[in-house]
Each structure stands twice: as structure tokens, then as C-alpha cells.
Amino acid sequence: MGLESHRCLGAARMLPGGPKAPSALKMALPRLHDAHAWLAQPRGWPCWGRQGGHFEGSVAAMLRAAGRLRGRGGTGVLPGQCRGEGSLAGGSPDAPGLLAMVETFYRRAASLALQSAAGRPGGLPWLRGLLETIRRCSYVLEVAFPLRRDGGTWEVVQGWRAQHSQHRLPCKGGVRFSSSIGVDEVKALAALMTYKCAVVDVPFGGAMAGVRIDPRKYSEHELEKITRHFTIEMAKKGFIGPGIDVLAPDVSTGEREMSWIADTYTYTLGYRDINALACVTGKSISQGGAHGRHSATGRGVLHGIENYINNAHYMDCIGMSPGLPGKTFVLQGFGKVGLHTMKYLHQFGARCICVGETDGAIYNPGGINPKELEDYERGHGTIVGFPKAEPYEGSILEVPCDILIPAAIEKQLTRENAPRVQAKIIVEAANGPTTPAAHDIFLQRNILVIPDVYVNAGGVTVSFFEWLKNLNHVSYGRLSFKYEWESSRYLLQSVQHSLERCFGKARGEIPILPSPELQARVSGASERDIVYAGLAYTMEQSAKQIMNTAARYNLGLDQRTAAYLCALEKVLTVYDEAGFTY
């Protein structure tokens, strides 16, 4: 194949209305040729730009291109990829697909990793190969099964489970019910889960599942049949199990669906496994769930915001005073994550001035009470018409505020609306709400973006705690609550007796009483308290690692690239120290 006709691996698919798509064999042949060509040239890249009539293929040229990325969000290239945001998974440079977005952010971090390894003898070929290994999705299971509806009609349900990385086992990721889900989105979300677990030091590989249905159009009985059938299909192919692949809730799934999955696996293929309930997290408490899991993602968002907004250095960079009390925030999405995020921020002194949902938005500059809004939404099925706020007709993403929290779906902040965003901090409670072009604009405008791979990792962190609880077969604190309470009581008695021996009892006994805070901690501690303490510690340590990485690479406000670099370094360490089985 000549240079003029050279194609990039993973090129964008044919768009509707274009020329007739070639057969699978014709599409595969040039990709196989490209893979062979890449393996045959250790110093080159498969997709190049022209320089003076010839292709620039030296390592030095590669690093010069990578060097332009530092703090700028450029477009460095990894093996098997073309330049440009939309070259990997559908979409276009102005509207990239989610997989293209994730791989663009990954490419930027990987280019910096390559640059840092340039001085190591033999480091580049070794690192380049591992970076390509990390980028690729390891396995994708696609299933299609029949469903008999309650009315007697039949239809075919399609679903996917992607295991992006098995550098750690088990894999871990959610199950999403959506009429728009597809294999590329499933692969993208699985990749995000790999990086997210690495950022917060949760020892899982990344995975994701999607079932292409609109759950609002199915009865509870039909949803149960779909969930159980999908579970069986995954189990038959080894895509579920406490030590293989652990599922969790995502969009349009929750405790009910996770309990169905746990029950189905436990009483079918997992009936001999004492740890079978650990095949899924986010279950109801009666099925082995952990207290605090339901609100974990929202609480993780709170801790993520706290760790940055209380950092004087980052607040100086964006011209904002440290501290959460008195700050205003706008919330896009009033689902499970949005609701709990709003509750926790309100509890810690912030003020929500605008909430948006698919059917409308409400605005009150004086603040919106989350409990009152929750009660109204439960009674009316919508936030529209909430009596203590007025309707808002414009884009809520452009409302002036201190903190903007997209907590709905991906690709909400784009090249078009990013220049009009008036927040100082953007907190990505949703997965992939910011396109690469919007990310670059925010950096130029000195807006701090707290990335999704860190700030919404509270869910997977507490899922890890639930998984451990299921493996240990005992709830947190059950073996230690009584002992710790008695130890605290004996400690106070010892202090009292020591004072009495020193000062005497002329005026009676010297009472040593626990403070209300100590009393609550030693006698009112619960599994939820322990889980929340572990979550807060995890988010705090992860934030420190990201900030240190940003300082080490001189990334400034680019916390996303710093988070991706944190993840890459940890995954690379696993591969470097453990190697490969064969």
C-alpha cells in the first residue's frame, strides 16, 4: 500500500447517506496490512503529517509533536490512531463520539508519558507497546435474545458487555438500559472505568454493559425477564462472576435490577460459589448491599469539590475564595447522582440556584431546597412547576454561578457553548460531559474542570467496599463496635481515676464526660459511617495524587490530563511488574 492510500487503524465508520459500505473482509484487509506495517517499523507511527514532501518518522519528531501538548491539550498520536478528535469511533471533529473523546484524552496523557520516557534507554518501544495495550478494549460480548412481551408479541433485545482491561481482576462496571446505547459507547464507558478505578486505587479492571431498550416502555415483569436473561447470557460466556467481572448500577438501573442479577447468578451458574453475591454491587441491603452505596456517587462529588475548593493554590488560579459555604451552583440532571450531590452541597453551605432536567428547568437566585424539590418531583414526576422557583427558558449551562455540575449525560459542554459558560469550576458528575474542544476552551478561559475519572468515582469506591463485604460475609463494624465502645469508656474512666488520685476527692468525684461528637462516634457508629469515612479518605488521597502529577508535568489547571496520567502510571506499573502470562 502506498503512502497516498495509507489508512489509519480504527478509522471513522461510513456515515449514513454516503457511499455503499464495503464488506467486512474488504475493511479488514487494509487494517491487517496497517498492523503489519506498524510492527515492521519500530521507530515510526502509522499515521503521519507531511514535512517538506516526505514523512517525518523519527522519535525526535514524535517527541516534538508530543511536547506541544504540555498544558495545551494538543493532538498527539498513539500507534494505530489518526490525528483529530473524531477519528476513532464515529462522529466528527466538532461532534466526536464518546469513544473518540475518551481516546483523545488518553492520547494526550500518553504522549506526555512518552515524552517523559524519552531519556530512558530502550524505553520508547517498550512504553509505546504497553500504551497501545492499555488503550485497546480486551473483550466485547454482544448478545441478542428473544423477549415475549406481556401482550404476547415477540421482539429481540440486544446487549453488550465490554471488558476494557484485565490488568486487575475482576473487571468492574455498570449496566445501562438505554434506547441509544451502542457498542462504541459501551467500550468508551468501560475504558473510563479502567482509568477511574486506577485513579482512586480500586483494584479492578474496567468494564461496562448496555442493553438497548427504553425501560419506560416495559413493565416491571418484562424488565425482570430482560435483566435475568441478559445475566444468563453473560454467565454462559464468563462475563460475570465475583472474581471475573462484577456488575453495578448505571443509567436506568438500580438496586432492583442488581438484586435480580445477583439472584439469577447465585441460583444458576454460581450455585456452588459461596461468594456468588459478590458478582454485583449496588444491591439492596437484604441482598448483601452496603449502607451508603445508594448515595455514594453524590457524596464522592462533594468530597471531590471540597478537595479542590479548599485548596488555596487552585482557588488563587481561578480568582475564587476558598471554602464551600456561600458558593452558588447549577445542577444539570436531577437523577440519583444529581439529587444526592445537591443534598450534600446544600448541607455544607452551598446554594443551588438552578436545576435542569429533560423536560424543563427551574431557577431561584435565593436558592432551591433539595428536600422540598425531591418531594415535589416524587409527587408530580417532574421538577417543572416547582412553586418555589420560576421556569428557566435558556441554557442552564450558561447560568452565572460559581460551580457548574453536569450530572446527566455525555457531550453537554461543546465547542459551541463552552465560550458562554460563566462558572469558575466545572464538576463532571456525569461521564464524559465535556468534549475535547470544550476542555481546551475552558483551559484557555482559566476555568477549573474537575474531571469525571476522579470526581464521580465515589460509586465504584463504595462498590469496592460492598464487594469486600460480600467476600468477608460480615458487615463493617459488626465485630468491633462493642469492643471500641468499651475501650473508649475504659479510657475515660482511666483519665477520671488519674485526676482523682492527683487532686483528691475533697470536692467529690471528678466527672469525665464524653463530648457529643465522641459519644456519637463511639456509640452511634454504623456501617454507613465507616463507608463514608473510607470514601472521604480515598477521594482526599486521590486528589493529592492528581495535584502532584499536575505539578510534576507542569499542567496547571489541566486536571484531566493529570488524572489520566495517574491512571496510566498505575496500570503501567502493574504490567511492568507482573508482565504477561504469555
Side-chain angles (χ1 to χ4, degrees):
M1 181 184 296
L3 293 177
E4 301 300 330
S5 60
H6 194 87
R7 300 172 186 268
C8 291
L9 296 177
R13 60 182 60 185
M14 302 294 292
L15 296 176
K20 183 178 179 181
S23 67
L25 180 59
K26 289 183 179 180
M27 294 178 65
L29 286 176
R31 297 187 181 185
L32 290 173
H33 178 91
D34 290 348
H36 180 271
W38 176 63
L39 291 172
Q41 48 177 355
R43 293 189 303 120
W45 298 83
C47 184
W48 297 97
R50 286 191 177 278
Q51 294 275 331
H54 62 87
F55 274 73
E56 183 184 36
S58 68
V59 173
M62 172 190 71
L63 292 178
R64 284 199 299 272
R68 293 193 295 270
L69 295 170
R70 189 178 297 275
R72 299 281 183 180
T75 56
V77 186
L78 277 179
Q81 298 180 326
C82 287
R83 291 184 171 91
E85 291 174 358
S87 61
L88 293 168
S92 65
D94 291 333
L98 181 59
L99 182 56
M101 289 169 48
V102 173
E103 294 199 349
T104 295
F105 293 134
Y106 174 87
R107 188 164 65 241
R108 296 175 178 182
S111 296
L112 288 179
L114 280 169
Q115 184 178 3
S116 68
R120 189 193 317 176
L124 284 176
W126 166 86
L127 182 59
R128 191 182 300 127
L130 285 187
L131 289 173
E132 179 68 1
T133 301
I134 295 171
R135 181 185 72 84
R136 297 278 183 174
C137 185
S138 297
Y139 301 97
V140 177
L141 172 68
E142 179 174 358
V143 302
F145 54 87
L147 169 70
R148 184 172 185 177
R149 302 291 300 268
D150 292 343
T153 60
W154 289 85
E155 67 179 58
V156 175
V157 177
Q158 192 174 14
W160 299 267
R161 180 67 174 180
Q163 294 178 350
H164 174 261
S165 175
Q166 292 188 346
H167 75 286
R168 296 281 198 190
L169 285 176
C171 296
K172 184 76 176 69
V175 181
R176 176 174 297 192
F177 288 175
S178 171
S179 58
S180 61
I181 194 77
V183 65
D184 282 345
E185 186 175 357
V186 169
K187 290 166 68 176
L189 293 168
L192 277 175
M193 185 58 70
T194 294
Y195 310 139
K196 192 180 302 184
C197 289
V199 165
V200 294
D201 291 312
V202 169
F204 292 141
M208 184 63 189
V211 179
R212 187 178 285 172
I213 60 169
D214 182 350
R216 297 171 298 182
K217 297 180 180 179
Y218 293 83
S219 67
E220 181 176 348
H221 176 244
E222 291 169 338
L223 288 174
E224 182 177 359
K225 290 170 65 176
I226 292 170
T227 304
R228 292 184 182 274
H229 199 152
F230 185 54
T231 303
I232 291 295
E233 295 297 329
M234 289 188 292
K236 289 192 299 185
K237 300 299 181 182
F239 275 72
I240 182 174
I244 302 171
D245 196 345
V246 178
L247 281 65
D250 199 82
V251 175
S252 298
T253 59
E255 291 182 350
R256 180 185 64 177
E257 287 77 14
M258 298 307 105
S259 296
W260 289 338
I261 291 172
D263 179 78
T264 303
Y265 179 79
T266 300
Y267 290 102
T268 54
L269 275 75
Y271 74 98
R272 290 182 175 179
D273 189 352
I274 193 174
N275 299 318
L277 282 177
C279 72
V280 59
T281 60
K283 306 179 292 293
S284 60
I285 300 300
S286 66
Q287 297 297 308
H291 291 276
R293 173 61 182 87
H294 185 71
S295 60
T297 305
R299 193 170 185 90
V301 172
L302 164 71
H303 293 312
I305 295 173
E306 277 188 319
N307 290 322
Y308 277 92
I309 207 167
N310 291 326
N311 185 291
H313 168 71
Y314 282 97
M315 292 303 98
D316 287 344
C317 290
I318 62 175
M320 180 183 288
S321 61
L324 195 54
K327 299 296 190 296
T328 59
F329 68 95
V330 170
L331 181 67
Q332 184 201 39
F334 196 66
K336 181 173 63 176
V337 176
L339 168 62
H340 290 292
T341 298
M342 184 180 179
K343 282 183 174 181
Y344 287 126
L345 290 176
H346 179 82
Q347 179 182 338
F348 280 75
R351 186 171 81 253
C352 180
I353 61 174
C354 188
V355 181
E357 261 290 346
T358 54
D359 56 349
I362 56 174
Y363 177 78
N364 182 352
I368 301 171
N369 185 285
K371 183 64 172 67
E372 294 176 355
L373 183 60
E374 178 187 16
D375 293 340
Y376 179 87
E377 194 274 337
R378 284 181 176 176
H380 296 79
T382 179
I383 65 172
V384 176
F386 181 62
K388 295 187 177 181
E390 58 188 40
Y392 190 82
E393 301 298 333
S395 171
I396 68 167
L397 300 174
E398 301 168 17
V399 174
C401 61
D402 296 316
I403 306 169
L404 173 61
I405 308 175
I409 58 175
E410 62 272 4
K411 295 188 294 186
Q412 296 302 294
L413 297 167
T414 64
R415 187 194 306 271
E416 287 70 30
N417 61 14
R420 299 190 295 273
V421 170
Q422 301 183 61
K424 288 287 188 179
I425 302 174
I426 296 173
V427 181
E428 295 183 336
N431 286 314
T434 307
T435 67
H439 173 83
D440 296 341
I441 292 171
F442 294 143
L443 286 179
Q444 294 166 6
R445 296 185 57 206
N446 217 42
I447 295 174
L448 173 63
V449 178
I450 307 179
D452 50 0
V453 291
Y454 163 67
V455 79
N456 69 21
V460 71
T461 301
V462 177
S463 281
F464 173 52
F465 300 157
E466 179 181 335
W467 181 72
L468 291 176
K469 173 186 175 180
N470 294 156
L471 296 182
N472 292 328
H473 300 277
V474 62
S475 61
Y476 288 103
R478 180 173 181 176
L479 301 179
S480 59
F481 280 156
K482 182 70 173 176
Y483 179 84
E484 291 175 356
W485 182 84
E486 290 183 346
S487 297
S488 300
R489 182 167 59 87
Y490 291 143
L491 175 62
L492 294 177
Q493 288 179 351
S494 176
V495 172
Q496 179 179 353
H497 294 159
S498 297
L499 292 174
E500 289 174 349
R501 282 196 300 270
C502 180
F503 298 103
K505 292 186 178 181
R507 298 183 180 181
E509 293 185 349
I510 301 176
I512 303 295
L513 302 176
S515 66
E517 292 80 10
L518 178 61
Q519 184 69 33
R521 183 166 293 274
V522 299
S523 63
S526 65
E527 182 178 75
R528 179 179 284 104
D529 297 326
I530 295 174
V531 166
Y532 282 168
L535 173 60
Y537 177 78
T538 299
M539 298 299 290
E540 179 183 351
Q541 296 302 308
S542 300
K544 290 179 180 178
Q545 293 174 9
I546 295 171
M547 293 175 187
N548 290 337
T549 302
R552 181 155 45 93
Y553 283 87
N554 193 27
L555 292 171
L557 291 178
D558 191 358
Q559 300 301 287
R560 189 192 312 279
T561 302
Y564 271 77
L565 278 165
C566 272
L568 286 182
E569 289 175 354
K570 293 173 184 178
V571 178
L572 283 169
T573 299
V574 172
Y575 281 133
D576 183 33
E577 296 179 353
F580 295 90
T581 305
Y582 50 82

